[in-house]
Amino acid sequence: MTTEDNAAVAKYDELNKNLEKVEELSQRLVEVMSNHNPVRRELTAPNHDVFTNAATAYWSEMIENPTKVFEQQMEFWGKSVKHFVDAQQMLAQGKLEAPEDNTPTDRRFSNPLWQTNPYFNFIKQQYMMNAEAIRKSVETIEDLPQKERARLKYFSNQIVDMMAPTNFLGTNPDALEKAMETEGRSLIAGLENLIRDLEANNGELIVKLADESAFELGKNVATTPGKVVFRNRMMELLQYSPSTEEVHEIPLVIFPPWINKFYILDLKEKNSLIKWLVDQGYTVFVVSWVNPDRSFADVGIEDYIEDGYLTAISEVKKLTKQKQVNAVGYCIAGTTLNLTLALMKKRGDKSVKSATFFTTLTDFSDQGEFTPFLQNDFVDGIEAEAAEHGLLRSFIMQRTMSFLRSNDLIYGPAIRSYMLGETPPAFDLLYWNGDGSGLPGKMVVDYLRRLCQDNQFVNDGIELCGETLHISDVTVPICAVTCETDHIARWKDCYRGFQQTKSRNRTFIVSQSGHIAGIVNPPSKKKYGHYTNKDLKLDSEEWLEKAEFTEGTWWPRWDTWLSSSSGKMVPAREPGDSEHPPLEDAPGSYVKVLATR
C-alpha cells in the first residue's frame, strides 16, 4: 500500500473509533432524557383550537372560493414538479450541476454547496417552495379573528424554521464537511455539548449561547466601582463611587427589569451606561433585584412598588439629604415606574423630580409579536406553572423570548454547538442574556392578566396599594427612549402609551437598533443614530416622518435633558453614610444568585 493509502485507512479507522464514542455518548443522552420532567404542554404548544379554527376557515374558503385555493395548490405543485424535472434533466445530460436557482438570499444557506451541489441545492429549493406555500396559505385564510391569525402565523413560522434542512445533520453540508475534516471529532464534541446543556437543565434543552467560564461578575463584567448601601428582601441598593470632584445635587436612581439582571447597563467599561453617567457627574444608584425562589410565590406588583421603588427612593433621599430624586425605569421596570408615579400622585408624594423610561410599554392594546403568548391558553399554563412552582422559572421566559428570533437564538447556536462541536463564544451580551431571573408567581400572573390582557392601566385604572391608578396620573417631567427595531417593546406601542400621560414636560426619542443595542449605545461607538420630534400629538407614522434625525447615540441629548432637572453642582459623595455603612462592594450578592430551575 502507498503512503496515501495508509493515511486514508488510518483516517477511516479514526473516524470509526470516534463514531463508536458517539454510541457511548448516546447512552448518556438516553439516560438524561429518561429523567426529564417536561414543561406543561400549554407552555410549549397552542391550544388545538388554533389549528382547528384555521382548518375550518380553510375548508370554508375551499367551498366558497375553490378557484383561489386550487390556484395556490397548482402553483406549488407546478413549481415542485418543474424543480424535480429540471434536476433530472441536468443528471440525464451527465452534468453534476444544480439547476437554475432563483431563491432569495438566506444566510442559513451561505455554504457554496447549497448553490453548486445538485443534492443540497435540490433540498434547499424545495424547502423554500414548501415554506412559501405554507406562508401563502396562512396569509390568505379569511374569517379568522386577528389574534387567531397572528397566532397561526407565528406557530406556522416556527414549523417552517424548525424544518429547515440546515437543522439536520444529513442535510447540512457545513456539519458533514466538519465531521469529515475532524474524523468525527466534531460530532463527539457536539454530542458532549448537547448532553452538557441537557444535564445542566434537568433534561430541558436550553442552548448555551455564551462561554460562561469566560466571565466573572465584578472582574470583567459589572466592574464600575461602588458599594451596596442598603438591602431588603426585594433588592440591594448600589451606590457608585464618584469619578468627578463635583456632582449634580439631585441623585439618579435606576430601576432595571427584574426579568434579567442590572449589569446589562454595566457590561464593560467602554459600553457601561452606569460608568458614563458617573463620569458626567451624577450620583448614581442602581437597584439590583433579588432572584426569587419558591418562597416569593405571593410577591406581587405591589411588593415591587412598596419594597422596591418607594423604599429605594426613600433611602436615596436619606443618603443624599435631598427631597427629590430623578428616576429611570427599563422595560417592565419602566412600566412599574409609571405605576409608582401614579401612586405617588395619588398620595401627594413629590419625591420624583423627573422620570426616564427605556423601551417601556404601558398601553397593551396591540400585543404585537407577543400575541401568541398573551392568550388564555398560554397564560393559563403560566398560572398553573406559578401555582405548582411558586414562580415562572427563568428558562421558560428565556425560551419564549428566544423563539421570537428562533434562527438567531435557537437553531443557529444549536447548529454551531451540537453539529459543528464548537464552544459557545465569549460574548458578554449573550452571557448576560443567559443569566436570567425567575418571576414571582403572583407578580407574573397579575402582570399578564391585569396589565397585558385587560390593559387596566390605560382603560379604567388598576387597583394597587389601595388606590386606582391610571396612566393620566403620571404628571412629572418625563423622557422616553424607544428603539426603532425593538420587537419586545415596539416603539409605536411605547409612543401610544406615552401620549396618554398628562405630563407637561415630555420628550420622546426613537433610537436606531433594537431592545438592547439601541439603549447600550455609547458615544464612543459612533454608531446608531436617533430621531426626535416635539410634536407629540401626531400619530406614530407622522411623528417619525417629520422627526429630525441625529447621527450617533442619544446619551448626550438625554444628559442635557436630565441635567436640567438635577440641580446645582455639589461636592462629590462617597457611597454610604453613618446610617448606611457599605455592606459590600458592587455588584453585590443578589446579582450572583442563579435562577431556580
Side-chain angles (χ1 to χ4, degrees):
M1 296 179 67
T2 65
T3 303
E4 290 183 357
D5 290 337
N6 289 331
V9 170
K11 193 170 184 178
Y12 180 76
D13 289 342
E14 180 68 19
L15 176 62
N16 283 331
K17 289 179 182 178
N18 285 328
L19 291 176
E20 288 176 5
K21 294 179 182 178
V22 170
E23 292 183 11
E24 295 174 8
L25 286 168
S26 297
Q27 294 177 358
R28 279 181 61 197
L29 178 61
V30 171
E31 182 178 349
V32 68
M33 291 308 296
S34 66
N35 297 321
H36 176 221
N37 184 19
V39 175
R40 60 186 64 254
R41 185 193 173 283
E42 304 98 300
L43 300 180
T44 59
N47 188 291
H48 290 303
D49 289 346
V50 172
F51 298 111
T52 301
N53 293 341
T56 301
Y58 192 78
W59 181 251
S60 298
E61 184 78 6
M62 181 176 290
I63 294 173
E64 296 173 9
N65 193 1
T67 302
K68 185 172 74 173
V69 175
F70 285 134
E71 281 179 354
Q72 291 176 355
Q73 292 299 316
M74 289 302 295
E75 181 185 11
F76 172 63
W77 295 340
K79 286 182 178 179
S80 296
V81 171
K82 183 179 184 303
H83 180 216
F84 179 76
V85 170
D86 289 346
Q88 290 292 87
Q89 285 181 342
M90 297 295 287
L91 292 175
Q93 294 171 14
K95 298 179 180 179
L96 193 62
E97 299 176 6
E100 183 180 0
D101 185 354
N102 296 315
T103 54
T105 301
D106 188 319
R107 62 181 178 178
R108 291 175 295 177
F109 303 106
S110 59
N111 189 307
L113 288 176
W114 289 113
Q115 298 298 121
T116 61
N117 184 285
Y119 167 71
F120 290 114
N121 183 263
F122 182 86
I123 291 170
K124 183 197 79 167
Q125 287 204 51
Q126 191 60 50
Y127 167 74
M128 293 288 207
M129 292 177 199
N130 295 345
E132 181 185 19
I134 291 173
R135 291 189 177 112
K136 276 188 174 180
S137 296
V138 171
E139 288 171 2
T140 56
I141 293 178
E142 298 181 359
D143 299 325
L144 266 184
Q146 183 179 354
K147 288 184 178 180
E148 288 294 293
R149 185 184 301 278
R151 301 184 81 199
L152 182 63
K153 181 179 179 180
Y154 169 80
F155 287 110
S156 62
N157 282 339
Q158 290 303 320
I159 294 171
V160 167
D161 290 344
M162 180 179 65
M163 297 307 295
T166 47
N167 296 336
F168 302 91
L169 178 62
T171 52
N172 187 316
D174 293 306
L176 293 172
E177 286 179 331
K178 186 76 174 286
M180 294 300 295
E181 290 169 3
T182 62
E183 289 86 40
R185 289 190 300 275
S186 61
L187 297 180
I188 293 172
L191 194 50
E192 287 176 337
N193 289 343
L194 173 62
I195 294 169
R196 173 207 64 202
D197 289 352
L198 288 168
E199 290 176 340
N201 297 288
N202 301 318
E204 198 67 42
L205 181 55
I206 303 172
V207 185
K208 189 183 294 294
L209 298 178
D211 181 5
E212 296 175 357
S213 65
F215 301 99
E216 184 178 354
L217 293 176
K219 298 296 183 181
N220 56 359
V221 288
T223 58
T224 301
K227 303 288 184 181
V228 177
V229 293
F230 178 82
R231 178 187 291 130
N232 64 15
R233 66 167 188 150
M234 293 300 297
M235 53 95 180
E236 288 181 331
L237 183 64
L238 280 59
Q239 181 180 1
Y240 287 90
S241 302
S243 61
T244 56
E245 291 185 2
E246 291 187 321
V247 294
H248 291 282
E249 183 180 29
I250 306 298
L252 179 68
V253 56
I254 300 174
F255 297 95
W258 50 88
I259 293 173
N260 292 99
K261 296 181 179 178
F262 81 87
Y263 63 90
I264 186 58
L265 300 175
D266 190 31
L267 283 175
K268 301 185 247 196
E269 182 175 340
K270 65 181 181 180
N271 65 357
S272 169
L273 178 60
I274 290 172
K275 184 180 187 309
W276 186 85
L277 287 166
V278 169
D279 291 343
Q280 306 316 303
Y282 293 97
T283 303
V284 179
F285 293 83
V286 173
V287 166
S288 175
W289 299 104
V290 70
N291 202 340
D293 57 25
R294 290 167 173 80
S295 68
F296 283 76
D298 295 327
V299 166
I301 296 174
E302 292 174 316
D303 297 283
Y304 278 89
I305 292 174
E306 296 281 9
D307 296 336
Y309 288 76
L310 296 179
T311 298
I313 290 168
S314 175
E315 296 303 322
V316 170
K317 287 165 56 181
K318 293 176 186 176
L319 277 155
T320 59
K321 298 177 175 57
Q322 295 296 311
K323 295 180 179 180
Q324 289 184 303
V325 306
N326 292 314
V328 177
Y330 193 166
C331 193
I332 188 175
T335 306
T336 312
L337 178 56
N338 272 284
L339 296 171
T340 304
L341 293 173
L343 176 64
M344 297 173 83
K345 176 73 173 181
K346 293 283 188 178
R347 293 179 173 178
D349 186 341
K350 298 180 180 180
S351 297
V352 174
K353 188 168 186 180
S354 78
T356 301
F357 309 106
F358 297 161
T359 65
T360 292
L361 292 167
T362 50
D363 184 343
F364 295 88
S365 55
D366 186 343
Q367 298 165 348
E369 293 192 41
F370 283 91
T371 297
F373 309 114
L374 293 177
Q375 307 315 303
N376 280 331
D377 55 350
F378 194 82
V379 178
D380 287 346
I382 290 178
E383 194 163 7
E385 166 81 9
E388 179 181 353
H389 296 281
L391 72 163
L392 179 63
R393 290 172 289 173
S394 173
F395 78 87
I396 296 176
M397 178 63 71
Q398 179 184 344
R399 184 181 62 185
T400 300
M401 304 289 274
S402 294
F403 268 113
L404 292 173
R405 294 293 181 269
S406 57
N407 286 324
D408 294 331
L409 296 177
I410 295 178
Y411 299 121
I415 289 168
R416 291 190 291 273
S417 185
Y418 307 148
M419 288 192 197
L420 302 178
E422 297 177 358
T423 300
F427 187 13
D428 54 359
L429 178 59
L430 291 179
Y431 170 72
W432 166 84
N433 188 70
D435 186 17
S437 295
L439 300 178
K442 185 177 186 299
M443 188 287 301
V444 72
V445 172
D446 279 351
Y447 178 77
L448 294 176
R449 295 289 192 200
R450 302 173 67 188
L451 287 169
C452 297
Q453 285 192 320
D454 297 341
N455 206 17
Q456 292 180 10
F457 190 42
V458 300
N459 288 336
D460 297 328
I462 182 170
E463 297 285 342
L464 288 172
C465 304
E467 300 284 354
T468 300
L469 311 179
H470 191 268
I471 187 68
S472 61
D473 296 322
V474 177
T475 59
V476 302
I478 54 177
C479 175
V481 183
T482 62
C483 300
E484 188 176 17
T485 59
D486 192 338
H487 65 286
I488 295 172
R490 298 182 304 178
W491 81 264
K492 293 179 181 180
D493 298 330
C494 297
Y495 179 70
R496 188 175 59 251
F498 187 80
Q499 286 179 304
Q500 297 175 65
T501 62
K502 295 300 181 182
S503 301
R504 294 182 179 179
N505 179 344
R506 300 190 297 185
T507 297
F508 191 83
I509 300 170
V510 176
S511 171
Q512 290 182 313
S513 196
H515 194 71
I516 301 299
I519 300 299
V520 184
N521 181 26
S524 59
K525 280 189 175 182
K526 299 180 181 179
K527 207 168 183 181
Y528 306 116
H530 59 280
Y531 300 88
T532 53
N533 187 339
K534 294 181 180 179
D535 190 348
L536 299 175
K537 295 180 181 179
L538 302 174
D539 64 30
S540 58
E541 294 288 349
E542 192 174 4
W543 185 94
L544 187 61
E545 182 181 331
K546 296 182 178 180
E548 177 185 348
F549 179 75
T550 303
E551 295 283 352
T553 182
W554 51 270
W555 289 15
R557 182 184 297 275
W558 179 52
D559 176 32
T560 300
W561 182 89
L562 184 63
S563 63
S564 67
S565 298
S566 298
K568 63 184 180 181
M569 303 302 289
V570 299
R573 308 174 175 107
E574 292 298 327
D577 62 15
S578 59
E579 296 182 5
H580 301 82
L583 303 176
E584 61 179 301
D585 290 337
S589 299
Y590 280 10
V591 73
K592 297 177 182 178
V593 176
L594 299 179
T596 302
R597 293 295 183 186

